[in-house]
Every structure is written in structure tokens, then in C-alpha cells.
Amino acid sequence: MKFLKLFLLLFVVQFHAQQGGMWVPSLLKGMNENEMKALGSKLTAEQIYSINKSSLKDAVPQFDGGCTAEMISSKGLLLTNHHCGYDNIQSHSTVEHDYLADGFWAYKMEDELPNPGVVVTFIVSIDDVTTTILAGTESLSEADKQKKIQQNIAEISKTYKKEAWQDILVRTFFDGNQYLLFVTENFKDVRLVGAPPSSIGKFGSDTDNWVWPRHTGDFSLFRVYADKNNRPAEYSKDNVPYTPKHFFPVSAKGVKENDFTMVLGYPGRTTEYLPSYAVEQIAYDLNPARIEVRDAALKVQDGFMRKDQAIKIQYASKYASIANAWKKWIGERKGLIKSNAVGVKQKFEKDLSDKIVKAGKQAEYGNLLSDFAKNYAEIKDYAIARDYYSEVVLRHTEILNFGYRLFQLEQVYTARGEQAFNDRKKNLIEGFEPLYKDFNAQVDEKVFEKLIDIYSKKSPQQFLPESLKGINATQVSADIFKSSKLTSYNGLKELLTGDAKTVIEKLNQDKGFAFVKMIAEAYNKNVAPKYDEINLRNIATQRTYMKAILELSPKSARIFPDANSTLRVTYGKVKGYKPSDAVVYTPFTYLDGVMEKYVPGDYEFDVPKKLIDLYNAKDYGKYADNGKMPVAFIATNHTTGGNSGSPALDAEGNLIGLNFDRVWEGTMSDVYYSPDICRNIMVDSRYILFIIDKFAGAKNLIDEMKIIYNQPKTSKKVKK
């Protein structure tokens, strides 16, 4: 009987451990630690997160605000995704020295390339400061409550004890029911060490993005530098390689199905506890609008990039960024519909309503769902208009984005006077220079034409300025790009020459600026105030809804906070999946698959000659698996944007892979995680080592790492 109870306990723990979750590393003791051990982990919670000793979290910094990275040597060597380092690889590239096409490798430290503005952030400690942050907010209105919270955050950020070189970051959890404070160290001398050519690091490009099977060597290498005291410092030739508190041994032993996997990283944003009304709006209203705009922008840019190598370099990073979310939203929408996420949410809401009644909490929580229903019905058109405005004006039509920044400059003058205007103007002139470096007026004119046509026809008509309705987008586009000075950096500087009054007059005479101002003023008058008002109500309702979930759920419930770009731990197993009827995906891919997809000269599926030669010779060094070269694998870890570059670790904390994507059918995991089809994609550490060693010949980097190889089997001696 005891054995049966133990078996059932382990079965339940293992089952629930597959249900996703992004856990705060300082809070792993108890349920999470037990789950990980049941799945095969040999690590303790203290080994993952410790303040007093080096631990795994000390080897996992955030990379440049939007990705994750990991330390893989005692000399500051850092590993992240190729697409996370893409902007920096591009910035060092020219037509003559195209590191995107050819790759880059520093065979000695003095050849490493500095990257101004790139920041690598380490977590020193995590502290719960909920009581302090919520002090004095009990009886305030929602707007005043938010102001008081920001005041409390500002105060604790100034007074919390830390070292002079450290920083403070306060983030909200569980929709404002908890606040954690992070002490961080920000390193600003980060140098490019190595990157494979895009034909490896971006193999499959946008066609393969978000899908499985995947054959992408999505990695790049940087080095973190510090001052002579091993503390953060701005770039200097006198800086030395940073010595991390912990770095990961790199495993060349390989993985097999059902092996334990753990991913640490900085997932950006999830909304796992949204009500059904919000999920329905995302699937059927908001995502279709975003997808349509980005689809149009991508088609225009792709047409130009395929014909002109210089334009391809200019727009490579922008195109990749647009395409990434575009394809993700398509998969997310399909996944939400296929998994019946709305129905699942409705059942959860019914169960919660029953718990509210049973607990006698109707006065506190009884109106939550009716409030949600009312708010989401009311906000619908405003939310759609907001997304069209954001996608068209602020993001994907560059001349409109430039003009909007100048519109903000005019607002600064109106609100704060000439001195503030001059300060902002100076910063704008400096900030615009790199933007124009990657701007092509011919490309943007066609993007403008397509997107303004969509905006004028599809954005809710009641909010648009009258002069925008029924416009001839082709004619308006040609007219603006023919006359506006916003189409060149020199023209922009000419507009911004003079005192505030002169500049404002010149701006308002420019057709490009006037067009943006017309749209922005209509949006600011007709959409933004009402959207913000309803959204503020939703924020308050969501916080109370989350409070009800936390209060009325059993202690055994697996309730994790939504992602908010803070350090998290997720764990699971290497596992395939079944995306549709009669289709089953196994969890591993190999170099054979690269060759099967190979299309000579194609910008997505070309393969370097040297890689072909290594494949034909089966020259895989120490990294082969039964004569085959592993490339990527999938597992049940719950990841999202921001987890790009996250370390995938084995049961002992060794690096077995590098997280870089999710499967298309499971991208709805930001809203609703399904253990049946949600999988994260990782490039195998053996493929990374193979490319560095055999393809690039960067023995200096191989020698720098601590690599764990399979021990050769030895036959036992037979006693005579």
C-alpha cells in the first residue's frame, strides 16, 4: 500500500510538472523543488538560486534588455542567440565585410569588436517588498493608487541598501498583488567574439521561423568586460574580461527523449490569467488586425531585399523583427482556436464563481466576470484602433515614426518651453543619424502606400480624421515622399535648424509632418483617453480577479506569476508532440535535415560549402551521435519572447542547448499553455561546439570552455 501511494504521488507530481510555469528562482523551495526531482533533476533550490554562494542564476544575465544569455567560461565568454546579436553583427557589416553573410570569429581577444550601448545585466539578489510598495494605497482611487505605487517605488529605489556600482529594479507580480525588488549589475563593455554566417545562424530564416522541425544554428558569442576590480564599467581598452561568479560547463554528452531539462531566462510578457472575454478579443479581433498590417509591410520589404544586397543589409534586422511577431501571432491565433482556449477559460471562470459563492465572497468578488464582460465589450473598437495606430504609425512606416517623434518635440515646446525643446531637439538630431543609416525612402514610400491604405479603410472609422477617409493612398504617398524633408537625414537637420518658433513653423509646413500630426491628434483626441480610462478599469478588475484566484485556489495549485522580463525558471522533459491528425514530430533534428532543405543560392536555405564538405566527410569530431550530427531538439519548457538565448540545462546544471524558439502550434502559450502541443526549441550544444570547432576553427574558444564529453566505455577486468 505504501508503494502504491508513493507511485501515485510521483505520477501526480510528474504529470503536473508538465503543465508549464515560469517560476521565480528565489521561491523554488517546496513544490517546485520536489517536482524537478520527480522529473529527474539532481539540483537543489539553493544550487539554482543563492545569495551567499555562487549559483546557477549568477551565470544567466539578461542580454541587451530583450534576450537572455549565459556565461560559459571564467573569462567572461557569453553565449546567446544569433538573432539576439543580429543588430550588432549587422552594425559591424558592410558590403565589403558582410559578417551577416560570412560570419565573424575573433581568434584572439584583441580582435573582438565593441558594441556601444549593449548592456548585460546580472541579478545579485531578489527581495519581496510588497508591503512597502502598497503602503498608503488602501483607500485610493485606481489612478491615485498607481501614482502612490510609483512614488513608493521611487523612494525604495533611492533608499534600499546596495553597492555604489549596483542598480535597483522593482517589478510587479500577480497583476499588482506582489512586488519584488531586484539588485542588479549592468555591464556596458560587451564585445562581439563570434557568429556563424546567417546561412547557419539564421538557416530557414522566416520560412522556418516558429516551426518544427528546425535546423538553425542560432547562436553568437560575446565577451563581457569589467574594470580591474571586476565591476561594471563603460568601454575602455584598460578593461579586462569579467570573471563571473558561476559559468556553465558545456555538455557534449547529448540528450535523449524524456531527459530532464531546465531553462533559466528573462521571459518578456505573458497573460496566462486573462479572462475569456480578453482571449476571445485577441483571437478574433486584435491579432487579425496586426497580422494584416505586418503582412503588407513584409511583402514590400521582401521584394526590395531580394533585388538589392545593400537594401538587404539595411533592412535585415527590421524585417526579421517584423516577421517574428507576425508569424507568432498567426500561430497563436490558430492555437487559441484549436485548443478551445476561450472554452477552457470559461470553465475556469465557472469553477471560480462556484468557489466565490461557497466561500461567501460575493460582496468582494461577485461582480468580477460581469465587469470584465462590460469592459471588454466597451474597449473593443478602441483597442482595435490602438493596434492599427501602433502598427502603422509608430512601428512600420518609418517616415510616420520619424514625424511622430517630431510631433512629440512640438508637444514638449507647448508644455515645457524652449529650453526643454532645445534639449530634446539636440538628442533627436543625434538619435536620428543611425536610424537614417538603415532607411531607404524608396522602400518606405511603398510601405507607406500599402499601410496607409489599410489604416484608412480598416481602422474604426468613427475615430479617423475626415480628411483620411477615402484617400488615394498611392497619390498621397507619392506627394509626401516627393516633397517632405523627412525622407533624408540632411532634410531632417534642415527642419530642426533654428530657434523653437522657426522650427515649429518649418515642421508644420512639411507635408510629411503635417500628415502625421493630423493622424496623431485625431488618435490622441478620439482613442487614447477612452482606451486608457477603460483599460484602467480592467487593470483594477484583473488585480482583484488575480487576488481571488490566489485566495480561493488550494495550496497545491500551480499558480505562477506572468512573465515580466525578470529572471524565471521553467522545467520539463525532452519530448515530441502531435500537432494534427496523423502527424507526429520526434524531438530531434540532424545535419541531414539541413542538407535536405538545402537550396543553392537561396537566402533562406543556402548552405556554406565548408559545412557541406564536413557533412560529406562525416567529419564531426567529438560531437557526433551514432555517426550523425545533432542540430536541435524540443522539450516541454514554458518559454516566450525574452527566453531567446536562455540556457537549456541537464539534471546536473550543465549546458545541453540554447533556447531560441517555440513551435508554431504552441505559440499561444503566452495566453494559454497546453502541455500537449507547447514546445520550446533549442539548438543542441553539440552543434554549437561543432560549428565553433570544425567549421570556424576557433580552437581558442573551445580551449576556453569546460566541455564535458562522454566517457569512453571500458571493459571490466575478469578475475582469474
Side-chain angles (χ1 to χ4, degrees), residues 183-238:
V183 178
T184 65
E185 293 182 345
N186 293 296
F187 289 79
K188 300 177 181 180
D189 187 351
V190 183
R191 307 181 196 179
L192 178 63
V193 174
S198 293
S199 51
I200 292 174
K202 208 174 184 300
F203 181 79
S205 193
D206 301 300
T207 297
D208 273 6
N209 191 22
W210 297 109
V211 300
W212 184 257
R214 199 67 176 275
H215 300 87
T216 312
D218 194 348
F219 77 93
S220 58
L221 294 155
F222 291 78
R223 193 180 305 278
V224 181
Y225 282 78
D227 66 15
K228 293 180 179 178
N229 295 312
N230 206 41
R231 295 171 183 169
E234 298 286 345
Y235 171 80
S236 170
K237 291 182 178 179
D238 295 328

Side-chain angles (χ1 to χ4, degrees), residues 274-283 286 342 349 372 376 542 671:
L274 283 177
S276 59
Y277 312 99
V279 175
E280 188 172 26
Q281 204 166 97
I282 290 169
L286 303 184
V342 173
E349 290 158 5
F372 273 139
Y376 279 102
Q542 184 72 38
V671 179

Side-chain angles (χ1 to χ4, degrees), residues 22-180:
M22 298 175 175
W23 308 97
V24 178
S26 57
L27 305 173
L28 292 176
K29 285 186 180 297
M31 180 191 73
N32 295 123
E33 189 173 32
N34 293 334
E35 282 186 343
M36 287 189 287
K37 288 182 178 178
L39 287 170
S41 173
K42 298 178 182 177
L43 298 164
T44 65
E46 180 76 7
Q47 287 175 306
I48 297 169
Y49 174 89
S50 176
I51 298 177
N52 301 315
K53 300 177 182 178
S54 67
S55 56
L56 300 190
K57 60 96 172 162
D58 297 314
V60 188
Q62 188 174 45
F63 183 82
D64 207 23
C67 284
T68 303
E70 53 276 340
M71 309 309 298
I72 56 171
S73 87
S74 62
K75 298 178 181 178
L77 190 61
L78 176 150
L79 179 67
T80 190
N81 285 154
H82 185 273
H83 74 260
C84 293
Y86 201 77
D87 283 348
N88 304 295
I89 303 166
Q90 180 198 29
S91 69
H92 293 295
S93 295
T94 63
V95 174
E96 293 79 19
H97 299 286
D98 189 349
Y99 297 135
L100 290 175
D102 304 329
F104 170 81
W105 304 97
Y107 295 99
K108 49 185 184 298
M109 287 186 183
E110 49 265 40
D111 293 337
E112 296 170 359
L113 302 176
N115 300 279
V118 174
V119 178
V120 167
T121 303
F122 290 86
I123 299 297
V124 178
S125 63
I126 305 173
D127 189 14
D128 191 319
V129 292
T130 305
T131 303
T132 303
I133 300 303
L134 293 181
T137 66
E138 294 80 5
S139 59
L140 298 179
S141 68
E142 184 60 28
D144 289 339
K145 179 178 288 187
Q146 294 302 321
K147 290 179 183 177
K148 180 62 176 176
I149 286 171
Q150 292 308 312
Q151 291 172 3
N152 290 343
I153 289 174
E155 180 63 25
I156 198 171
S157 297
K158 288 189 296 184
T159 59
Y160 193 89
K161 187 178 179 181
K162 65 176 181 63
E163 302 292 348
W165 61 87
Q166 295 174 338
D167 296 286
I168 296 294
L169 179 71
V170 178
R171 285 287 182 265
T172 180
F173 292 74
F174 295 117
D175 296 311
N177 286 284
Q178 182 184 37
Y179 287 83
L180 298 181

